[in-house]
Amino acid sequence: MLTTVKKLSSIYMRLVLPSPSSSTFLSFGSSISVFTPPRGTQFLRLNFRFRTMASHVVGYPRMGTKRELKFALESFWDGKSNSEDLEKVAADLRSSIWKQMADAGIKYIPSNTFSYYDQVLDTTAMLGAVPPRYGWNGGEIGFDVYFPMARGNASVPAMEMTKWFDTNYHYIVPELGPDVKFSYASHKAVSEYKEAKSLGIDTVPVLVGPVSFLLLSKAAKGVEKSFPLLSLIEKILPVYKEVIAELKAAGASWIQFDEPTLVKDLDSHQLQAFSHAYSELESSLSGLNVLIETYFADVPAEAFKTVTSLKCVTALGFDLVRGSKNLDLIKSGFPSEKYLFAGVVDGRNIWANDLASSCSTLQALENLVGKDKLVVSTSCSLLHTAVDLVNETKLDEEIKSWLAFAAQKLVEVNTLAKALAGQKDEAVFSANAAARTSRKSSPRVTNGAVQKAAAALKGSDHRRATTVSARLEAQQKKLSLPALPTTTIGSFPQTLELRKVRREYKANKISEEHYVKYITEEISKVVKLQEDLDIDVLVHGEPERNDMVEYFGEQLSGFAFTANGWVQSYGSRCVKPPIIYGDVSRPKPMTVFWSSRAQSMSKRPMKGMLTGPVTILNWSFVRDDQPRFETCYQIALAIKDEVEDLEKAGINVIQIDEAALREGLPLRKSEEAFYLNWAVHSFRITNCGVQDTTQIHTHMCYSNFNDIIHSIIDMDADVITIENSRSDEKLLSVFQEGVKYGAGIGPGVYDIHSPRIPSTEEIADRISKMLAVLDTNILWVNPDCGLKTRKYTEVKPALSNMVAAAKLLRDQLASTK
């Protein structure tokens, strides 16, 4: 019988709430009643209606806010610390990341997204797919096998490294064939799940899905290139089953399979592989909630149909930022029994979320899939953005109010999830709206003169007036280069002392006079080294540059810079992308002073070194309030001014690097032509006004260029240097297939991302293979990429062997005439 409460002090109140980490919020308007139990004790009964806040993060940056992992890795590789030291740093980072996500209110926290080098390499290790050259004889794979696979060593070359979809992150490409013996050789996924659980945090273990793993692999050396990699699915699934069994035994209730290849153009056979693989895993996955995560683009209709029909899958994650068509697909029919992980918070850029717009999208999705089936998530892993805006104490406050790094994106996910659960923070939404209005109306964003100049580009394709063959003839008369001319890509090793001098100059701790004197001496050393090695076309070594994009962005209007906005590119290599917030222009020359000074030190040609507009664009955090191609054209005009000033200063060879041109290629075939048209056009704009005698070089690296070779030809550069050796000379196959290339070309003859020093004979053999498919009069000899990350003890002998190999081949060619 219900009775009236007369004295609250005599009432015994029992209220059981979930723990804070369960991310549950109360929905008030609840009924209150008091009842008398059998013994006459009065209780206050609160009948709350609970609404669970569902939030998720696909992945998180690994390096740490101060790049702790980078420094720990490099210390270990240099022999200055041991494996225990490295593992301690890694464990501390994992712990802090998990706790940070839990404290931010994230419900579905990922584990096994940490990596000592790369998540695909981790999967290769999990499957025991170690190429024979690394001498692995079974057992748990340790650092002694793992790191040589990633970096190579004095005895063996590294595995191929290439771009992860259309990002600047690089993954290690698995080498597979019919004879690979797969076995469960790395228990990392289970160990990290248990590690988090011991901290009181129940996580969602993340695995690279079996089908994407195979589709991202390549045929091993000696295996026919046409080998069907998907035929290995039956061999790898038993290992996945072992991992799943161990995760279940450890207490996991969810598991996330990243299957990003679902956003690509897949044929029916490839789509069938997904159906088959997850059908085979169905019994193993029984009792687990299974999330299939996709990202970077929209999922094609047939792939959507395939993945939504997988019976063992509990939830599906979609990118609703770059996947512009995913929302329509979901509206067309999403399975009522499945959860939708809605990626509305951008994992690829640093702009603050439009909370009102995202909330509207989420509410529309809620009406489609149901209140209890919707989970707020990031569009992809936050690996691709900077770590924490809190560390940016010197960043302009107005611009800072427009931004959100990884840590802030956790808060955005939580804020949206709370709003969806009826706990909307009006003050946060109001501040977010005010910041967006500030950005839209800020006079620093728009420059009328720049927009007018970019608009005037329409109507011309900006090609040079003469053919490349005519230009090469004019350039040879001026430069008098030998057959198989040697050069390097641009940068030379940067010592700790050099980096210190740059930091001190930037902090106004040393005078400009002292700085210029030091950099001049550094350039002089690099020039002398190249002359001593007898390299034909020189570079100044770029000692004044911190990064090939940041250096230029610092001198262009419309850019902002962070102090600690580091993003992992590969292994321990981090970059600090500039932020393009407004219209771009060049207030004054950027490189003429140093290039002219370097040229004055030698009679040999000295390359003026520039970063091209497409690479600056693709390696920056780009404004999202206008089309990317408009921003690219603005950058192209700025670089054009620099090219023409270099020419006036007497620089006869100018290299405009477009290392990231292939990286920006859309993931869907239907969108490629539009991108390549404006990207190639942007490059041509930069050098369309120079004389025939000025030789224009470009450089590209660490992507699959064979499928865009005709666009590369259309760039109309005089010489292209391009990565070739680490990808096992894959580039040469396009010329074997009959593609005619009339400009100068320098496929890389050795991998600079490995400490291994190639012999003269090895390099000569590579050059001989190139001469089998390329004319002698167009072939250049050069490394794969710049030398910034190497040591002089590695660079000197490697370049010496490279020059010796070129001379050996010249002698052989001369003797056959």
Side-chain angles (χ1 to χ4, degrees):
M1 182 181 70
L2 294 177
T3 60
T4 303
V5 180
K6 294 184 177 179
K7 291 185 178 180
L8 288 176
S9 58
S10 67
I11 297 174
Y12 176 75
M13 297 177 64
R14 178 177 293 163
L15 178 61
V16 180
L17 293 175
S19 66
S21 64
S22 70
S23 305
T24 300
F25 287 78
L26 296 178
S27 178
F28 287 97
S30 309
S31 59
I32 303 178
S33 61
V34 181
F35 70 101
T36 304
R39 295 184 182 179
T41 308
Q42 290 182 315
F43 288 82
L44 179 65
R45 173 183 285 168
L46 304 179
N47 296 322
F48 292 104
R49 292 191 298 272
F50 289 103
R51 178 79 187 283
T52 302
M53 180 202 73
S55 55
H56 168 253
V57 174
V58 178
Y60 201 78
R62 309 157 178 157
M63 283 291 143
T65 56
K66 298 179 180 178
R67 293 180 290 163
E68 294 91 334
L69 182 59
K70 169 189 172 64
F71 299 120
L73 283 167
E74 292 173 358
S75 175
F76 175 71
W77 293 337
D78 288 342
K80 296 176 182 177
S81 60
N82 57 35
S83 59
E84 289 79 13
D85 297 326
L86 176 57
E87 288 167 348
K88 173 66 166 58
V89 171
D92 289 346
L93 280 172
R94 289 192 296 267
S95 173
S96 66
I97 290 168
W98 290 325
K99 288 177 180 177
Q100 182 181 7
M101 285 192 267
D103 291 344
I106 304 300
K107 181 176 182 180
Y108 300 108
I109 296 172
S111 60
N112 198 40
T113 55
F114 175 87
S115 178
Y116 286 102
Y117 207 95
D118 163 54
Q119 70 268 16
V120 180
L121 181 61
D122 293 348
T123 310
T124 300
M126 181 186 84
L127 296 169
V130 181
R133 65 181 178 275
Y134 298 106
W136 176 63
N137 296 313
E140 186 80 4
I141 290 175
F143 291 154
D144 59 329
V145 174
Y146 181 86
F147 286 130
M149 291 166 70
R151 306 177 68 239
N153 58 32
S155 304
V156 292
M159 296 170 70
E160 180 184 348
M161 180 173 71
T162 197
K163 296 293 175 68
W164 178 246
F165 294 81
D166 58 348
T167 75
N168 188 31
Y169 178 79
H170 302 66
Y171 77 95
I172 303 299
V173 183
E175 301 173 12
L176 305 178
D179 298 327
V180 175
K181 306 296 183 185
F182 296 98
S183 63
Y184 189 10
S186 171
H187 293 67
K188 175 178 176 293
V190 178
S191 297
E192 290 188 12
Y193 173 78
K194 291 179 176 178
E195 185 181 327
K197 195 171 183 180
S198 71
L199 298 171
I201 300 171
D202 190 29
T203 60
V204 178
V206 179
L207 300 176
V208 174
V211 183
S212 287
F213 175 79
L214 293 177
L215 291 176
L216 293 167
S217 301
K218 71 171 187 177
K221 194 169 185 177
V223 175
E224 288 292 328
K225 299 300 180 187
S226 59
F227 173 73
L229 292 164
L230 287 175
S231 67
L232 299 173
I233 194 74
E234 301 296 345
K235 293 185 177 181
I236 69 171
L237 289 180
V239 180
Y240 274 89
K241 290 177 180 179
E242 287 187 70
V243 178
I244 292 165
E246 285 197 5
L247 287 170
K248 286 171 70 173
S253 58
W254 279 85
I255 187 168
Q256 174 178 319
F257 291 101
D258 281 5
E259 292 282 13
T261 55
L262 279 164
V263 305
K264 304 191 79 174
D265 294 309
L266 302 178
D267 59 33
S268 58
H269 173 66
Q270 292 167 326
L271 290 174
Q272 177 57 33
F274 284 95
S275 298
H276 173 70
Y278 286 95
S279 175
E280 287 293 307
L281 291 174
E282 187 171 343
S283 60
S284 298
L285 291 168
S286 176
L288 278 175
N289 292 299
V290 178
L291 165 63
I292 299 286
E293 187 64 57
T294 69
Y295 36 78
F296 299 150
D298 55 271
V299 176
E302 285 303 310
F304 182 83
K305 183 178 178 181
T306 297
V307 75
T308 53
S309 65
L310 298 176
K311 292 181 180 179
C312 66
V313 173
T314 314
L316 297 163
F318 296 106
D319 184 337
L320 297 178
V321 178
R322 293 195 172 219
S324 57
K325 299 176 183 177
N326 278 334
L327 191 58
D328 290 336
L329 283 171
I330 294 165
K331 289 178 180 178
S332 70
F334 188 82
S336 60
E337 74 279 6
K338 297 190 190 301
Y339 287 81
L340 172 62
F341 281 57
V344 294
V345 173
D346 193 351
R348 292 277 299 272
N349 215 329
I350 43 68
W351 303 108
N353 189 271
D354 183 343
L355 295 179
S357 176
S358 293
C359 201
S360 177
T361 298
L362 290 166
Q363 287 168 346
L365 290 171
E366 188 178 57
N367 292 333
L368 289 169
V369 303
K371 293 179 180 296
D372 299 324
K373 298 290 187 181
L374 185 61
V375 178
V376 182
S377 186
T378 54
S379 66
C380 63
S381 173
L382 298 177
L383 173 72
H384 308 288
T385 191
V387 181
D388 196 342
L389 194 57
V390 170
N391 298 320
E392 303 304 326
T393 56
K394 297 181 180 179
L395 190 61
D396 179 278
E397 285 301 319
E398 182 184 30
I399 294 175
K400 193 174 179 179
S401 72
W402 304 340
L403 308 178
F405 290 180
Q408 288 68 48
K409 289 178 186 293
L410 295 181
V411 176
E412 288 181 338
V413 169
N414 183 53
T415 298
L416 289 166
K418 287 172 67 177
L420 205 61
Q423 296 295 303
K424 183 178 179 181
D425 190 325
E426 295 292 350
V428 171
F429 272 72
S430 177
N432 176 261
R436 292 188 62 80
T437 300
S438 161
R439 181 183 167 202
K440 189 174 182 179
S441 61
S442 175
R444 67 203 306 175
V445 170
T446 305
N447 182 321
V450 171
Q451 292 190 350
K452 184 178 179 180
L457 294 171
K458 297 175 182 177
S460 171
D461 62 4
H462 297 89
R463 293 182 185 276
R464 293 171 76 176
T466 54
T467 64
V468 68
S469 58
R471 299 196 306 264
L472 288 174
E473 186 177 344
Q475 293 156 13
Q476 179 59 16
K477 287 179 181 177
K478 187 166 189 174
L479 300 174
S480 299
L481 297 172
L484 308 179
T486 55
T487 190
T488 62
I489 304 305
S491 61
F492 265 65
Q494 297 208 347
T495 62
L496 291 174
E497 182 185 5
L498 169 59
R499 295 173 189 270
K500 179 184 177 185
V501 168
R502 275 207 314 263
R503 283 197 307 271
E504 290 179 341
Y505 176 62
K506 199 168 185 178
N508 295 317
K509 293 182 178 180
I510 59 174
S511 68
E512 183 174 359
E513 181 183 6
H514 177 86
Y515 174 73
V516 170
K517 181 175 182 292
Y518 180 89
I519 297 297
T520 300
E521 290 172 352
E522 194 71 19
I523 292 172
S524 179
K525 292 175 188 175
V526 170
V527 171
K528 184 178 185 305
L529 171 61
Q530 292 172 93
E531 290 187 327
D532 290 345
L533 291 169
D534 204 16
I535 291 174
D536 300 304
V537 176
L538 311 186
V539 298
H540 75 288
E542 306 176 9
E544 79 283 11
R545 304 184 189 184
N546 44 9
D547 175 81
M548 65 182 287
V549 172
E550 185 176 15
Y551 178 78
F552 290 94
E554 286 176 339
Q555 301 181 78
L556 294 169
S557 63
F559 282 75
F561 299 88
T562 63
N564 297 288
W566 298 100
V567 179
Q568 185 183 14
S569 179
Y570 61 87
S572 67
R573 169 75 171 149
C574 298
V575 294
K576 192 148 57 73
I579 299 166
I580 305 177
Y581 67 84
D583 291 333
V584 178
S585 63
R586 186 197 73 145
K588 62 182 180 180
M590 302 179 286
T591 66
V592 175
F593 175 80
W594 292 117
S595 292
S596 300
R597 181 158 288 201
Q599 182 62 84
S600 71
M601 298 175 185
S602 178
K603 293 181 179 179
R604 303 188 185 207
M606 179 71 61
K607 287 196 283 190
M609 300 300 304
L610 304 175
T611 302
V614 184
T615 296
I616 290 176
L617 182 88
N618 286 336
W619 286 357
S620 297
F621 291 124
V622 184
R623 58 189 295 188
D624 59 357
D625 58 346
Q626 70 177 19
R628 289 173 70 87
F629 70 85
E630 290 187 12
T631 302
C632 198
Y633 283 155
Q634 293 177 1
I635 302 169
L637 287 172
I639 300 300
K640 181 177 185 290
D641 291 342
E642 189 70 15
V643 168
E644 292 172 3
D645 280 346
L646 282 169
E647 184 183 53
K648 290 173 186 175
I651 304 300
N652 297 314
V653 182
I654 302 172
Q655 181 170 309
I656 308 167
D657 285 345
E658 283 296 12
L661 188 139
R662 173 62 175 78
E663 175 185 309
L665 191 70
L667 301 177
R668 305 288 286 282
K669 290 285 185 185
S670 61
E671 301 169 7
E672 289 181 358
F674 177 71
Y675 166 78
L676 288 170
N677 181 59
W678 63 255
V680 169
H681 187 193
S682 295
F683 176 82
R684 290 201 305 263
I685 288 167
T686 64
N687 60 87
C688 63
V690 300
Q691 300 173 32
D692 284 1
T693 50
T694 297
Q695 190 168 82
I696 299 297
H697 288 224
T698 191
H699 171 68
M700 297 181 176
C701 57
Y702 300 102
S703 286
N704 181 10
F705 299 104
N706 292 20
D707 56 349
I708 63 163
I709 190 64
H710 293 289
S711 293
I712 292 173
I713 294 171
D714 198 38
M715 291 170 72
D716 200 27
D718 297 314
V719 178
I720 179 171
T721 51
I722 193 163
E723 179 269 325
N724 171 68
S725 59
R726 178 144 186 178
S727 58
D728 200 22
E729 299 164 349
K730 182 166 52 180
L731 174 70
L732 299 186
S733 65
V734 76
F735 302 112
Q736 293 166 346
E737 293 164 3
V739 172
K740 298 298 181 184
Y741 193 79
I745 183 167
V749 296
Y750 79 91
D751 175 24
I752 63 87
H753 287 304
S754 170
R756 181 174 172 272
I757 299 166
S759 67
T760 298
E761 294 73 23
E762 179 183 333
I763 295 175
D765 181 60
R766 287 191 185 277
I767 299 171
S768 295
K769 291 178 181 178
M770 296 171 191
L771 286 170
V773 293
L774 294 166
D775 293 339
T776 306
N777 62 340
I778 67 169
L779 185 61
W780 285 64
V781 177
N782 46 262
D784 264 355
C785 201
L787 305 170
K788 176 182 177 180
T789 60
R790 301 265 55 90
K791 298 181 175 67
Y792 274 105
T793 53
E794 299 159 348
V795 166
K796 290 178 182 179
L799 290 180
S800 178
N801 291 347
M802 183 187 81
V803 173
K807 290 181 176 179
L808 179 64
L809 267 295
R810 284 176 199 159
D811 291 344
Q812 291 177 8
L813 290 169
S815 67
T816 59
K817 287 184 178 181

